[in-house]
PDB file of all heavy atoms in Angstrom:
ATOM      1  N   GLY Q 131      -6.227   2.997  -4.225  1.00  0.00           N
ATOM      2  CA  GLY Q 131      -5.593   4.321  -4.272  1.00  0.00           C
ATOM      3  C   GLY Q 131      -4.231   4.356  -3.620  1.00  0.00           C
ATOM      4  O   GLY Q 131      -3.885   5.334  -2.952  1.00  0.00           O
ATOM      5  N   VAL Q 132      -3.431   3.331  -3.847  1.00  0.00           N
ATOM      6  CA  VAL Q 132      -2.188   3.209  -3.080  1.00  0.00           C
ATOM      7  C   VAL Q 132      -0.961   3.903  -3.680  1.00  0.00           C
ATOM      8  O   VAL Q 132      -0.352   4.733  -3.005  1.00  0.00           O
ATOM      9  CB  VAL Q 132      -1.892   1.717  -2.771  1.00  0.00           C
ATOM     10  CG1 VAL Q 132      -0.480   1.522  -2.248  1.00  0.00           C
ATOM     11  CG2 VAL Q 132      -2.902   1.197  -1.760  1.00  0.00           C
ATOM     12  N   PRO Q 133      -0.544   3.598  -4.911  1.00  0.00           N
ATOM     13  CA  PRO Q 133       0.733   4.191  -5.376  1.00  0.00           C
ATOM     14  C   PRO Q 133       0.664   5.719  -5.390  1.00  0.00           C
ATOM     15  O   PRO Q 133      -0.340   6.297  -5.800  1.00  0.00           O
ATOM     16  CB  PRO Q 133       0.892   3.633  -6.797  1.00  0.00           C
ATOM     17  CG  PRO Q 133       0.031   2.419  -6.834  1.00  0.00           C
ATOM     18  CD  PRO Q 133      -1.136   2.723  -5.928  1.00  0.00           C
ATOM     19  N   LYS Q 134       1.714   6.362  -4.912  1.00  0.00           N
ATOM     20  CA  LYS Q 134       1.743   7.831  -4.840  1.00  0.00           C
ATOM     21  C   LYS Q 134       2.953   8.357  -5.616  1.00  0.00           C
ATOM     22  O   LYS Q 134       3.995   7.710  -5.692  1.00  0.00           O
ATOM     23  CB  LYS Q 134       1.821   8.293  -3.379  1.00  0.00           C
ATOM     24  CG  LYS Q 134       0.625   7.860  -2.544  1.00  0.00           C
ATOM     25  CD  LYS Q 134      -0.668   8.530  -2.995  1.00  0.00           C
ATOM     26  CE  LYS Q 134      -1.842   8.093  -2.135  1.00  0.00           C
ATOM     27  NZ  LYS Q 134      -3.132   8.309  -2.754  1.00  0.00           N
ATOM     28  N   TYR Q 135       2.783   9.574  -6.128  1.00  0.00           N
ATOM     29  CA  TYR Q 135       3.722  10.183  -7.062  1.00  0.00           C
ATOM     30  C   TYR Q 135       4.677  11.117  -6.324  1.00  0.00           C
ATOM     31  O   TYR Q 135       4.255  11.842  -5.416  1.00  0.00           O
ATOM     32  CB  TYR Q 135       2.877  10.991  -8.047  1.00  0.00           C
ATOM     33  CG  TYR Q 135       3.552  11.539  -9.261  1.00  0.00           C
ATOM     34  CD1 TYR Q 135       4.141  10.710 -10.208  1.00  0.00           C
ATOM     35  CD2 TYR Q 135       3.538  12.913  -9.504  1.00  0.00           C
ATOM     36  CE1 TYR Q 135       4.710  11.241 -11.354  1.00  0.00           C
ATOM     37  CE2 TYR Q 135       4.102  13.445 -10.649  1.00  0.00           C
ATOM     38  CZ  TYR Q 135       4.684  12.595 -11.574  1.00  0.00           C
ATOM     39  OH  TYR Q 135       5.237  13.115 -12.708  1.00  0.00           O
ATOM     40  N   GLU Q 136       5.925  11.122  -6.723  1.00  0.00           N
ATOM     41  CA  GLU Q 136       6.917  12.022  -6.102  1.00  0.00           C
ATOM     42  C   GLU Q 136       6.833  13.401  -6.782  1.00  0.00           C
ATOM     43  O   GLU Q 136       7.637  13.718  -7.651  1.00  0.00           O
ATOM     44  CB  GLU Q 136       8.326  11.443  -6.269  1.00  0.00           C
ATOM     45  CG  GLU Q 136       8.551  10.151  -5.517  1.00  0.00           C
ATOM     46  CD  GLU Q 136       9.927   9.564  -5.793  1.00  0.00           C
ATOM     47  OE1 GLU Q 136      10.451   9.718  -6.915  1.00  0.00           O
ATOM     48  OE2 GLU Q 136      10.476   8.932  -4.873  1.00  0.00           O
ATOM     49  N   TYR Q 137       5.840  14.193  -6.367  1.00  0.00           N
ATOM     50  CA  TYR Q 137       5.592  15.474  -7.027  1.00  0.00           C
ATOM     51  C   TYR Q 137       6.789  16.424  -6.955  1.00  0.00           C
ATOM     52  O   TYR Q 137       6.968  17.274  -7.807  1.00  0.00           O
ATOM     53  CB  TYR Q 137       4.373  16.168  -6.394  1.00  0.00           C
ATOM     54  CG  TYR Q 137       3.066  15.543  -6.791  1.00  0.00           C
ATOM     55  CD1 TYR Q 137       2.412  14.672  -5.932  1.00  0.00           C
ATOM     56  CD2 TYR Q 137       2.491  15.808  -8.025  1.00  0.00           C
ATOM     57  CE1 TYR Q 137       1.210  14.086  -6.296  1.00  0.00           C
ATOM     58  CE2 TYR Q 137       1.291  15.230  -8.402  1.00  0.00           C
ATOM     59  CZ  TYR Q 137       0.656  14.368  -7.532  1.00  0.00           C
ATOM     60  OH  TYR Q 137      -0.520  13.787  -7.903  1.00  0.00           O
ATOM     61  N   ASP Q 138       7.587  16.279  -5.922  1.00  0.00           N
ATOM     62  CA  ASP Q 138       8.658  17.250  -5.686  1.00  0.00           C
ATOM     63  C   ASP Q 138       9.985  16.860  -6.333  1.00  0.00           C
ATOM     64  O   ASP Q 138      10.968  17.590  -6.199  1.00  0.00           O
ATOM     65  CB  ASP Q 138       8.874  17.393  -4.169  1.00  0.00           C
ATOM     66  CG  ASP Q 138       9.217  16.066  -3.524  1.00  0.00           C
ATOM     67  OD1 ASP Q 138       8.748  15.018  -4.029  1.00  0.00           O
ATOM     68  OD2 ASP Q 138       9.959  16.055  -2.536  1.00  0.00           O
ATOM     69  N   LYS Q 139      10.032  15.751  -7.044  1.00  0.00           N
ATOM     70  CA  LYS Q 139      11.307  15.286  -7.596  1.00  0.00           C
ATOM     71  C   LYS Q 139      11.461  15.674  -9.067  1.00  0.00           C
ATOM     72  O   LYS Q 139      10.464  15.671  -9.806  1.00  0.00           O
ATOM     73  CB  LYS Q 139      11.387  13.756  -7.489  1.00  0.00           C
ATOM     74  CG  LYS Q 139      11.433  13.218  -6.066  1.00  0.00           C
ATOM     75  CD  LYS Q 139      12.856  13.117  -5.586  1.00  0.00           C
ATOM     76  CE  LYS Q 139      12.959  12.685  -4.144  1.00  0.00           C
ATOM     77  NZ  LYS Q 139      12.699  11.270  -3.953  1.00  0.00           N
ATOM     78  N   PRO Q 140      12.671  15.981  -9.525  1.00  0.00           N
ATOM     79  CA  PRO Q 140      12.862  16.288 -10.951  1.00  0.00           C
ATOM     80  C   PRO Q 140      12.569  15.074 -11.834  1.00  0.00           C
ATOM     81  O   PRO Q 140      12.113  15.226 -12.965  1.00  0.00           O
ATOM     82  CB  PRO Q 140      14.338  16.701 -11.045  1.00  0.00           C
ATOM     83  CG  PRO Q 140      14.984  16.282  -9.772  1.00  0.00           C
ATOM     84  CD  PRO Q 140      13.910  16.143  -8.738  1.00  0.00           C
ATOM     85  N   VAL Q 141      12.845  13.884 -11.325  1.00  0.00           N
ATOM     86  CA  VAL Q 141      12.505  12.662 -12.057  1.00  0.00           C
ATOM     87  C   VAL Q 141      11.561  11.856 -11.152  1.00  0.00           C
ATOM     88  O   VAL Q 141      11.989  10.964 -10.436  1.00  0.00           O
ATOM     89  CB  VAL Q 141      13.767  11.827 -12.397  1.00  0.00           C
ATOM     90  CG1 VAL Q 141      13.386  10.633 -13.268  1.00  0.00           C
ATOM     91  CG2 VAL Q 141      14.801  12.697 -13.100  1.00  0.00           C
ATOM     92  N   PRO Q 142      10.256  12.175 -11.192  1.00  0.00           N
ATOM     93  CA  PRO Q 142       9.331  11.541 -10.240  1.00  0.00           C
ATOM     94  C   PRO Q 142       9.057  10.078 -10.581  1.00  0.00           C
ATOM     95  O   PRO Q 142       8.982   9.703 -11.752  1.00  0.00           O
ATOM     96  CB  PRO Q 142       8.043  12.365 -10.384  1.00  0.00           C
ATOM     97  CG  PRO Q 142       8.337  13.443 -11.356  1.00  0.00           C
ATOM     98  CD  PRO Q 142       9.580  13.107 -12.089  1.00  0.00           C
ATOM     99  N   ARG Q 143       8.929   9.294  -9.537  1.00  0.00           N
ATOM    100  CA  ARG Q 143       8.545   7.892  -9.688  1.00  0.00           C
ATOM    101  C   ARG Q 143       7.398   7.621  -8.723  1.00  0.00           C
ATOM    102  O   ARG Q 143       7.040   8.486  -7.932  1.00  0.00           O
ATOM    103  CB  ARG Q 143       9.738   6.978  -9.373  1.00  0.00           C
ATOM    104  CG  ARG Q 143      10.955   7.263 -10.227  1.00  0.00           C
ATOM    105  CD  ARG Q 143      12.209   6.729  -9.595  1.00  0.00           C
ATOM    106  NE  ARG Q 143      12.360   7.192  -8.234  1.00  0.00           N
ATOM    107  CZ  ARG Q 143      13.312   6.785  -7.417  1.00  0.00           C
ATOM    108  NH1 ARG Q 143      14.182   5.901  -7.819  1.00  0.00           N
ATOM    109  NH2 ARG Q 143      13.392   7.241  -6.186  1.00  0.00           N
ATOM    110  N   MET Q 144       6.856   6.412  -8.771  1.00  0.00           N
ATOM    111  CA  MET Q 144       5.772   6.050  -7.862  1.00  0.00           C
ATOM    112  C   MET Q 144       6.366   5.355  -6.638  1.00  0.00           C
ATOM    113  O   MET Q 144       7.376   4.661  -6.731  1.00  0.00           O
ATOM    114  CB  MET Q 144       4.774   5.114  -8.555  1.00  0.00           C
ATOM    115  CG  MET Q 144       4.167   5.670  -9.825  1.00  0.00           C
ATOM    116  SD  MET Q 144       3.427   7.304  -9.654  1.00  0.00           S
ATOM    117  CE  MET Q 144       1.990   6.906  -8.642  1.00  0.00           C
ATOM    118  N   GLN Q 145       5.689   5.548  -5.515  1.00  0.00           N
ATOM    119  CA  GLN Q 145       6.150   4.938  -4.262  1.00  0.00           C
ATOM    120  C   GLN Q 145       4.982   4.287  -3.546  1.00  0.00           C
ATOM    121  O   GLN Q 145       3.849   4.768  -3.639  1.00  0.00           O
ATOM    122  CB  GLN Q 145       6.759   6.009  -3.337  1.00  0.00           C
ATOM    123  CG  GLN Q 145       8.010   6.670  -3.859  1.00  0.00           C
ATOM    124  CD  GLN Q 145       9.258   5.798  -3.725  1.00  0.00           C
ATOM    125  OE1 GLN Q 145       9.194   4.666  -3.238  1.00  0.00           O
ATOM    126  NE2 GLN Q 145      10.374   6.322  -4.181  1.00  0.00           N
ATOM    127  N   LYS Q 146       5.285   3.261  -2.793  1.00  0.00           N
ATOM    128  CA  LYS Q 146       4.267   2.611  -1.955  1.00  0.00           C
ATOM    129  C   LYS Q 146       4.949   1.596  -1.043  1.00  0.00           C
ATOM    130  O   LYS Q 146       6.143   1.295  -1.212  1.00  0.00           O
ATOM    131  CB  LYS Q 146       3.215   1.911  -2.818  1.00  0.00           C
ATOM    132  CG  LYS Q 146       3.744   0.700  -3.570  1.00  0.00           C
ATOM    133  CD  LYS Q 146       2.627  -0.075  -4.211  1.00  0.00           C
ATOM    134  CE  LYS Q 146       3.096  -1.467  -4.595  1.00  0.00           C
ATOM    135  NZ  LYS Q 146       3.353  -2.333  -3.438  1.00  0.00           N
ATOM    136  N   CYS Q 147       4.157   1.076  -0.104  1.00  0.00           N
ATOM    137  CA  CYS Q 147       4.631  -0.004   0.781  1.00  0.00           C
ATOM    138  C   CYS Q 147       5.121  -1.185  -0.046  1.00  0.00           C
ATOM    139  O   CYS Q 147       4.505  -1.560  -1.040  1.00  0.00           O
ATOM    140  CB  CYS Q 147       3.456  -0.432   1.667  1.00  0.00           C
ATOM    141  SG  CYS Q 147       3.569  -2.092   2.355  1.00  0.00           S
ATOM    142  N   THR Q 148       6.231  -1.765   0.389  1.00  0.00           N
ATOM    143  CA  THR Q 148       6.826  -2.896  -0.334  1.00  0.00           C
ATOM    144  C   THR Q 148       6.597  -4.235   0.375  1.00  0.00           C
ATOM    145  O   THR Q 148       7.168  -5.237  -0.023  1.00  0.00           O
ATOM    146  CB  THR Q 148       8.348  -2.690  -0.428  1.00  0.00           C
ATOM    147  OG1 THR Q 148       8.860  -2.694   0.911  1.00  0.00           O
ATOM    148  CG2 THR Q 148       8.701  -1.370  -1.108  1.00  0.00           C
ATOM    149  N   LEU Q 149       5.794  -4.225   1.444  1.00  0.00           N
ATOM    150  CA  LEU Q 149       5.683  -5.369   2.357  1.00  0.00           C
ATOM    151  C   LEU Q 149       7.064  -5.674   2.960  1.00  0.00           C
ATOM    152  O   LEU Q 149       7.371  -6.788   3.337  1.00  0.00           O
ATOM    153  CB  LEU Q 149       5.100  -6.622   1.672  1.00  0.00           C
ATOM    154  CG  LEU Q 149       4.578  -7.744   2.570  1.00  0.00           C
ATOM    155  CD1 LEU Q 149       3.419  -7.313   3.450  1.00  0.00           C
ATOM    156  CD2 LEU Q 149       4.174  -8.982   1.758  1.00  0.00           C
ATOM    157  N   CYS Q 150       7.892  -4.616   2.992  1.00  0.00           N
ATOM    158  CA  CYS Q 150       9.286  -4.757   3.438  1.00  0.00           C
ATOM    159  C   CYS Q 150       9.939  -5.944   2.726  1.00  0.00           C
ATOM    160  O   CYS Q 150      10.470  -6.864   3.355  1.00  0.00           O
ATOM    161  CB  CYS Q 150       9.358  -4.916   4.960  1.00  0.00           C
ATOM    162  SG  CYS Q 150       9.196  -3.359   5.834  1.00  0.00           S
ATOM    163  N   TYR Q 151       9.900  -5.889   1.404  1.00  0.00           N
ATOM    164  CA  TYR Q 151      10.435  -6.991   0.587  1.00  0.00           C
ATOM    165  C   TYR Q 151      11.879  -7.332   0.956  1.00  0.00           C
ATOM    166  O   TYR Q 151      12.265  -8.492   0.995  1.00  0.00           O
ATOM    167  CB  TYR Q 151      10.343  -6.602  -0.896  1.00  0.00           C
ATOM    168  CG  TYR Q 151      10.878  -7.652  -1.829  1.00  0.00           C
ATOM    169  CD1 TYR Q 151      10.279  -8.898  -1.897  1.00  0.00           C
ATOM    170  CD2 TYR Q 151      11.989  -7.396  -2.636  1.00  0.00           C
ATOM    171  CE1 TYR Q 151      10.770  -9.882  -2.745  1.00  0.00           C
ATOM    172  CE2 TYR Q 151      12.475  -8.363  -3.494  1.00  0.00           C
ATOM    173  CZ  TYR Q 151      11.866  -9.604  -3.533  1.00  0.00           C
ATOM    174  OH  TYR Q 151      12.352 -10.573  -4.370  1.00  0.00           O
ATOM    175  N   ASP Q 152      12.655  -6.282   1.246  1.00  0.00           N
ATOM    176  CA  ASP Q 152      14.059  -6.536   1.606  1.00  0.00           C
ATOM    177  C   ASP Q 152      14.155  -7.319   2.912  1.00  0.00           C
ATOM    178  O   ASP Q 152      14.954  -8.246   3.042  1.00  0.00           O
ATOM    179  CB  ASP Q 152      14.843  -5.212   1.694  1.00  0.00           C
ATOM    180  CG  ASP Q 152      14.151  -4.148   2.544  1.00  0.00           C
ATOM    181  OD1 ASP Q 152      13.004  -4.356   2.997  1.00  0.00           O
ATOM    182  OD2 ASP Q 152      14.775  -3.088   2.759  1.00  0.00           O
ATOM    183  N   ARG Q 153      13.308  -6.980   3.868  1.00  0.00           N
ATOM    184  CA  ARG Q 153      13.347  -7.676   5.162  1.00  0.00           C
ATOM    185  C   ARG Q 153      12.804  -9.104   5.043  1.00  0.00           C
ATOM    186  O   ARG Q 153      13.429 -10.060   5.517  1.00  0.00           O
ATOM    187  CB  ARG Q 153      12.518  -6.900   6.199  1.00  0.00           C
ATOM    188  CG  ARG Q 153      13.142  -5.606   6.659  1.00  0.00           C
ATOM    189  CD  ARG Q 153      12.204  -4.862   7.598  1.00  0.00           C
ATOM    190  NE  ARG Q 153      11.928  -5.570   8.836  1.00  0.00           N
ATOM    191  CZ  ARG Q 153      12.591  -5.390   9.981  1.00  0.00           C
ATOM    192  NH1 ARG Q 153      13.542  -4.484  10.061  1.00  0.00           N
ATOM    193  NH2 ARG Q 153      12.279  -6.101  11.044  1.00  0.00           N
ATOM    194  N   ILE Q 154      11.641  -9.263   4.409  1.00  0.00           N
ATOM    195  CA  ILE Q 154      11.042 -10.603   4.391  1.00  0.00           C
ATOM    196  C   ILE Q 154      11.863 -11.567   3.530  1.00  0.00           C
ATOM    197  O   ILE Q 154      11.850 -12.767   3.764  1.00  0.00           O
ATOM    198  CB  ILE Q 154       9.544 -10.580   3.999  1.00  0.00           C
ATOM    199  CG1 ILE Q 154       9.316 -10.172   2.548  1.00  0.00           C
ATOM    200  CG2 ILE Q 154       8.752  -9.690   4.933  1.00  0.00           C
ATOM    201  CD1 ILE Q 154       7.837 -10.279   2.119  1.00  0.00           C
ATOM    202  N   SER Q 155      12.616 -11.020   2.558  1.00  0.00           N
ATOM    203  CA  SER Q 155      13.489 -11.875   1.748  1.00  0.00           C
ATOM    204  C   SER Q 155      14.637 -12.433   2.593  1.00  0.00           C
ATOM    205  O   SER Q 155      15.268 -13.432   2.236  1.00  0.00           O
ATOM    206  CB  SER Q 155      14.069 -11.094   0.568  1.00  0.00           C
ATOM    207  OG  SER Q 155      13.024 -10.608  -0.243  1.00  0.00           O
ATOM    208  N   GLU Q 156      14.926 -11.763   3.711  1.00  0.00           N
ATOM    209  CA  GLU Q 156      15.992 -12.214   4.611  1.00  0.00           C
ATOM    210  C   GLU Q 156      15.423 -12.944   5.831  1.00  0.00           C
ATOM    211  O   GLU Q 156      16.110 -13.155   6.826  1.00  0.00           O
ATOM    212  CB  GLU Q 156      16.816 -11.006   5.103  1.00  0.00           C
ATOM    213  CG  GLU Q 156      17.558 -10.263   4.003  1.00  0.00           C
ATOM    214  CD  GLU Q 156      18.650 -11.119   3.371  1.00  0.00           C
ATOM    215  OE1 GLU Q 156      19.248 -11.937   4.088  1.00  0.00           O
ATOM    216  OE2 GLU Q 156      18.868 -10.965   2.148  1.00  0.00           O
ATOM    217  N   GLY Q 157      14.135 -13.266   5.783  1.00  0.00           N
ATOM    218  CA  GLY Q 157      13.529 -14.016   6.886  1.00  0.00           C
ATOM    219  C   GLY Q 157      13.084 -13.159   8.061  1.00  0.00           C
ATOM    220  O   GLY Q 157      12.761 -13.687   9.131  1.00  0.00           O
ATOM    221  N   LEU Q 158      13.074 -11.821   7.869  1.00  0.00           N
ATOM    222  CA  LEU Q 158      12.614 -10.930   8.938  1.00  0.00           C
ATOM    223  C   LEU Q 158      11.144 -10.561   8.716  1.00  0.00           C
ATOM    224  O   LEU Q 158      10.633 -10.671   7.608  1.00  0.00           O
ATOM    225  CB  LEU Q 158      13.442  -9.637   8.937  1.00  0.00           C
ATOM    226  CG  LEU Q 158      14.932  -9.776   9.219  1.00  0.00           C
ATOM    227  CD1 LEU Q 158      15.638  -8.448   8.941  1.00  0.00           C
ATOM    228  CD2 LEU Q 158      15.161 -10.205  10.663  1.00  0.00           C
ATOM    229  N   GLU Q 159      10.492 -10.086   9.777  1.00  0.00           N
ATOM    230  CA  GLU Q 159       9.136  -9.559   9.638  1.00  0.00           C
ATOM    231  C   GLU Q 159       9.214  -8.157   9.038  1.00  0.00           C
ATOM    232  O   GLU Q 159      10.229  -7.473   9.200  1.00  0.00           O
ATOM    233  CB  GLU Q 159       8.483  -9.383  11.004  1.00  0.00           C
ATOM    234  CG  GLU Q 159       8.238 -10.609  11.803  1.00  0.00           C
ATOM    235  CD  GLU Q 159       7.566 -10.210  13.116  1.00  0.00           C
ATOM    236  OE1 GLU Q 159       8.280  -9.844  14.062  1.00  0.00           O
ATOM    237  OE2 GLU Q 159       6.337 -10.234  13.158  1.00  0.00           O
TER     238      GLU Q 159
END
Side-chain angles (χ1 to χ4, degrees):
V132 168
K134 299 294 181 200
Y135 190 62
E136 294 176 327
Y137 286 101
D138 58 329
K139 294 271 176 75
V141 185
R143 303 160 307 174
M144 303 307 290
Q145 295 283 0
K146 68 170 197 69
C147 157
T148 63
L149 196 62
C150 281
Y151 179 63
D152 50 354
R153 288 176 64 94
I154 68 174
S155 300
E156 296 294 327
L158 297 170
E159 296 181 276

